Amino acid sequence: MDASDELLRGAAPAALLTLDGAIRRLNAAMAIALGRPAKDCLGRDFGGLWPADQRISAGSLVVTATRTKTVAMRVLEFPGRGGAPVACLLQAQPVKDPSGDGQLVWVHSLDARNDLASLLIPFRLAAEAADVGLWMYSPLERRLEWLSGLAALVAFYPDPTAPLSRVIAAVHPDDRESFRQLLRATPAQSPWVKLRYLTAHDGWHHLAVQTRRIQLGYDGPERIFGLVRDDTKQEKRRKKAQTALAAERQRAMEVADFSSALIAAATEQELRQVVLTRLAAAFGASGALLALVVDGRLHVSTDAGISMREAQARHSLPLDHPSAIPEAIRTGEPLFIADRQDYIRRWPHGVGFPCLGPLGFNYTVSITPLSESGDQPLGAWMLTYASGHRPSLEERTLMGTLADLAGQALRRIRLQQTRVELAAALQQTMLPTLPEHLPGLNVAARYRPSRDGLDIGGDWYDVFVLPDGTIALEIGDVQGHDVDAAAFMGQVRLSMRAIAAQEPDPTAVLQRTNELLLTLAPARFASCTILHVDPHDGRVTGTSAGHVPVLCAHKDGSFEVHELPGGPVLGVVTGTEYREETFTLDRDSALVMVTDGVVEGPDLTLEAGLEQAGAMAGKAVHDGLNAEETADLILAAAAGVDHLDDVAVLVIRRTNGARARPGSDAGRRHETLR
């Protein structure tokens, strides 16, 4: 055995290196430490065989020993056989080459079992450099020792060495199992785990802990090392940011709902309701007030945050009043009033104004007009802040955007109201007045406009006396629900009445009306039913242009759905001939003529709707209701059809008040409805 064998003998890793760091010889333990067969290590650079994070330290160990001709030491880690890395204290020193006169470097692991603290020095330095805390846990002793690190964390562990039970007692109950898992984790290194830890001096802290299993020395014990980071301030910032983000999202949702509600508002009352229920909440204000301009004066309404006294003080003010809201409306510029002095400075004539009472050190006001200067003045809204809050530029911009949206909604509502009023007036001129006295007949008509769009449409009815004494009854429906539909309806109704005065048969009236409408080249069409009723003998002659069948109800409560012969709708096919039918209306029976909105809807077929209306009419006749009452009943039931369409109802009840007309043509073909 030569001298080199003596240097490499033993269980601890050892190697002989050339002065430039190449491996001349090594023992099995060093080969295992380097993770390669011994033959693959020979001639290789010693530092280059270590893990990347250890190469510099390994290389400097050899260089220091070579240059200084003295002993050098380093703590290095290399992979252990049990999965945990091994921290070894390596010593390098120059030695004489046993096979010659040259020099070698002898690198070998020292036995540090009696001085484990020496192996901890690099870990302490690394923890201090990273500004984190470091503790070490001994599994067999179940004790945790604070080593070094962040000064603020030292107060967490007033006793540097503590039993595990005391440390766990300070961990939040919900986090204790996670902490125990860290201490018995099988991987060499765990991920960062968040724990809540209770300190004696300032309560709960949010810590992040990462553990590593390390074997101290080649044959030494395993220890669990823990890195500790205090994320309490960071967690507070995160929660604060989350709270702010949640508040911002909530506000965004409120503003979006606010905008949608403004767009959906159909009346001024709905607009006031939207503003007064949502505005203050959307901007964190204590109260809201809405002032709309009507005939040059303010009409003011308020929510619960602003008293009625303040609202009444502004109600009916003219636009030239020397106060804040009228000025904002006149100029179209938003205003902010910081306190009473600010108000008096800007509106000195308003010193005695009653609304100055609440203005004080901690009470501010923001006013935003609903229209710009030069536009027709619409109004403004006012927000009060009991906290003295000053709206930011972003808030003022958003408030102005919503005010513009409210102004657009108000213009739309008022324009719609004007059009509705115009339509209502047009409707009154379009729908006829029924004859007051019709011998032997009781007639009632009802009309309800569509619930959408203009308050008028294309449904119509008409009742008038013909030259021969019979009664003409018409009901029809023009395509569409707007002013054009109403105008076309007027053309159709007046044309039919004029033609009926010259033509004795309903079929001739429909034919001539159809040809007349085709010459006008309308973009619409119309359906229609015509009945000529002889009030003396109940004889009915009828025809239809693609319209809903007629219902006939009897005294015993029964009814029939009577589909008249006829032809297609008016205004589509030229040269159309219509057929008619004659039948008799019994005494104490009733005919019910309707438009499709009464008997047809999204969830109601025409057949089912006719059955429903017919049964209702039969019961009404059986119960002795007159034509007016029957028409009201059927019109009310039409609301349940849920059809956004005009509806018209015409009820003809034959009474006992007329005798057969002398000379009536009893031999004329007719059908009696029983």
Side-chain angles (χ1 to χ4, degrees), residues 261-559:
L262 286 175
I263 294 171
T267 65
E268 287 194 24
Q269 175 58 36
E270 290 183 9
L271 181 68
R272 282 193 293 270
Q273 179 178 328
V274 168
V275 171
L276 296 178
T277 57
R278 300 172 186 263
L279 182 61
F283 291 97
S286 57
L289 177 148
L290 179 64
L292 300 181
V293 178
V294 179
D295 297 330
R297 291 185 174 273
L298 303 187
H299 280 227
V300 179
S301 50
T302 179
D303 66 358
I306 297 180
S307 68
M308 287 302 300
R309 179 175 176 271
E310 291 185 68
Q312 290 171 355
R314 297 171 171 86
H315 194 69
S316 294
L317 287 179
L319 283 180
D320 58 358
H321 189 274
S323 57
I325 293 181
E327 178 175 319
I329 296 174
R330 289 195 310 270
T331 63
E333 295 294 331
L335 298 173
F336 178 78
I337 307 170
D339 51 33
R340 177 190 293 266
Q341 288 71 28
D342 185 22
Y343 186 95
I344 295 175
R345 178 180 59 81
R346 296 158 72 178
W347 297 280
H349 297 291
V351 174
F353 197 47
C355 70
L356 278 178
L359 279 172
F361 176 75
N362 208 31
Y363 186 99
T364 57
V365 172
S366 174
I367 302 172
T368 308
L370 305 186
S371 58
E372 296 181 358
S373 176
D375 294 343
Q376 180 182 2
L378 298 174
W381 61 42
M382 183 180 83
L383 287 173
T384 59
Y385 299 91
S387 61
H389 172 73
R390 291 176 175 267
S392 65
L393 176 60
E394 179 185 356
E395 287 178 311
R396 294 196 300 270
T397 301
L398 179 58
M399 201 179 303
T401 300
L402 288 175
D404 289 342
L405 190 59
Q408 295 171 19
L410 184 59
R411 289 190 187 93
R412 170 180 52 78
I413 289 169
R414 289 183 171 175
L415 176 60
Q416 181 75 358
Q417 182 60 34
T418 300
R419 296 177 68 190
V420 166
E421 291 172 356
L422 173 63
L426 178 62
Q427 177 182 326
Q428 293 301 317
T429 63
M430 290 293 184
L431 295 176
T433 301
L434 298 184
E436 293 185 3
H437 301 291
L438 294 173
L441 294 180
N442 180 211
V443 179
R446 295 290 184 270
Y447 173 83
R448 188 190 68 203
S450 167
R451 288 171 287 164
D452 191 23
L454 287 177
D455 202 21
I456 192 170
D459 288 14
W460 90 91
Y461 59 82
D462 203 357
V463 179
F464 52 92
V465 181
L466 294 169
D468 64 355
T470 59
I471 310 300
L473 301 111
E474 301 172 357
I475 194 166
D477 184 359
V478 167
Q479 173 200 18
H481 308 94
D482 51 27
V483 171
D484 291 337
F488 186 59
M489 174 268 285
Q491 288 179 310
V492 175
R493 187 179 68 81
L494 294 175
S495 297
M496 292 181 68
R497 179 176 278 218
I499 294 171
Q502 306 296 324
E503 295 287 353
D505 296 323
T507 55
V509 174
L510 288 185
Q511 289 169 7
R512 288 188 56 185
T513 302
N514 182 58
E515 295 303 322
L516 175 61
L517 295 180
L518 287 169
T519 62
L520 299 175
R524 301 174 186 267
F525 57 83
S527 64
C528 176
T529 291
I530 301 178
L531 300 181
H532 286 186
V533 180
D534 189 327
H536 297 281
D537 59 11
R539 186 169 58 221
V540 181
T541 303
T543 185
S544 174
H547 197 68
V548 180
V550 175
L551 298 170
C552 185
H554 303 292
K555 182 65 176 176
D556 62 0
S558 63
F559 71 94

Side-chain angles (χ1 to χ4, degrees), residues 19-85:
L19 294 180
D20 59 359
I23 297 176
R24 172 78 64 85
R25 294 184 64 186
L26 75 167
N27 64 5
M30 181 62 80
I32 292 173
L34 297 177
R36 291 173 173 79
K39 63 179 182 179
D40 292 344
C41 297
L42 297 177
R44 301 280 296 275
D45 179 64
F46 177 75
L49 295 179
W50 286 80
D53 59 341
Q54 302 288 305
R55 289 173 187 168
I56 294 178
S57 295
S60 68
L61 173 68
V62 177
V63 170
T64 301
T66 301
R67 290 180 179 178
T68 62
K69 308 296 184 179
T70 59
V71 175
M73 294 184 184
R74 293 284 190 280
V75 176
L76 294 175
E77 290 182 33
F78 54 81
R81 286 166 291 186

